Amino acid sequence: MMLEHILVLSAYLFSIGIYGLITSRNMVRALMCLELILNAVNINFVTFSDFFDSRQLKGNIFSIFVIAIAAAEAAIGSAIVSSIYRNRKSTRINQSTLLNK
Amino acid sequence: MDLPGPIHDFLLVFLESGLILLGGLGVVLLTNPIYSAFSLGLVLVCISLFYILSNSHFVAAAQLLIYVGAINVLILFAVMFMNGSEYYKDFNLWTIGNGLTSLVCTSILVLLITTILDTSWYGIILTTRSNQIIEQDLISNSQQIGIHLATDFFLPFEFISIILLVALIGAIAVARQ
């Protein structure tokens, strides 16, 4: 019962992240929703590693790799958003039409 | 974590589920991006406490240090650096795309929940538990993670360090100018 509860929670976070990623008009909010999706994946990794593989803990190691990739993604994303903001004075997604010139 | 009673355990898990559910809604639905960034911080701290409950102390510490200490602060810095009055213009703009997306995401959630509830997890647990060798090791989880990172996952560990170096140099080079 505990395992299904945690998996339903992770699925909820994943679908909330997908919804926010599609409908947000602000680039920084899209980055936040991407972090939500990665956290849902991490919850699944840690939970399955705790329930099924409590001797070897390979799910924990994969979740550490996912956390490192998320850190790199947040740094690159913030740099790209600040560069777009410097050029266009706006961080809205539907106004970043840099190729349309 | 070995809590004394199952009531305490259930209480903690339900509290965290409430906080995570409300925080996840707050990240998406709040209009001011600063409030939404703080709500994301709340969700990340609750997920870290949740990792402590599921016996993964090293991942909990890494989550608290990297997500809350680095990524959330970076997102807050990005929000405050690009602060403008344009955030308040379009807060009640419910278009047809939002309704369609919410429909699709709700259907994804319902499909996932039915799949989760249909799968018999305890059969998988029994088969994996019977295959494991019953041996009494005295090393802790953090020591086991360290041994795996130094032996089995040595090449991905080095690749992760190279990726982090390249990402930091690239971020500075893009944001500098």
Side-chain angles (χ1 to χ4, degrees), chain B residues 74-91:
Chain B
L74 197 63
I75 285 175
L76 265 178
F77 180 73
V79 169
M80 292 183 182
F81 178 62
M82 285 162 278
N83 195 8
S85 62
E86 60 178 338
Y87 292 138
Y88 301 101
K89 285 179 191 170
D90 50 0
F91 56 90

Side-chain angles (χ1 to χ4, degrees), chain A residues 39-59:
Chain A
N39 270 297
V41 175
N42 263 340
I43 287 176
N44 265 346
F45 269 131
V46 171
T47 308
F48 280 121
S49 164
D50 185 36
F51 272 82
F52 293 151
D53 193 20
S54 61
R55 314 293 300 180
Q56 299 235 331
L57 292 174
K58 289 186 176 172

Side-chain angles (χ1 to χ4, degrees), chain A residues 24-90:
Chain A
S24 68
R25 294 180 178 81
N26 191 358
M27 287 185 194
V28 187
R29 193 187 293 266
L31 280 179
M32 293 180 211
C33 295
L34 210 56
E35 303 299 328
L36 277 187
I37 295 174
L38 290 175
N39 270 297
V41 175
N42 263 340
I43 287 176
N44 265 346
F45 269 131
V46 171
T47 308
F48 280 121
S49 164
D50 185 36
F51 272 82
F52 293 151
D53 193 20
S54 61
R55 314 293 300 180
Q56 299 235 331
L57 292 174
K58 289 186 176 172
N60 279 350
I61 297 167
F62 266 93
S63 67
I64 290 168
F65 286 158
V66 171
I67 288 175
I69 293 295
E73 170 260 331
I76 291 288
S78 300
I80 290 173
V81 169
S82 82
S83 173
I84 288 176
Y85 178 73
R86 194 184 301 123
N87 285 326
R88 299 298 296 256
K89 302 298 176 195
S90 168

Side-chain angles (χ1 to χ4, degrees), chain B residues 39-106:
Chain B
S39 173
L40 179 70
L42 174 72
V43 172
L44 295 179
V45 170
C46 290
I47 289 172
S48 156
L49 296 178
F50 179 77
Y51 288 163
I52 293 176
L53 274 183
S54 67
N55 288 318
S56 307
H57 302 98
F58 186 78
V59 185
Q63 167 97 6
L64 204 60
L65 283 175
I66 297 174
Y67 264 114
V68 185
I71 295 178
N72 198 13
V73 170
L74 197 63
I75 285 175
L76 265 178
F77 180 73
V79 169
M80 292 183 182
F81 178 62
M82 285 162 278
N83 195 8
S85 62
E86 60 178 338
Y87 292 138
Y88 301 101
K89 285 179 191 170
D90 50 0
F91 56 90
N92 49 8
L93 206 63
W94 181 267
T95 59
I96 187 79
N98 287 9
L100 197 64
T101 311
S102 69
L103 190 66
V104 168
C105 287
T106 312

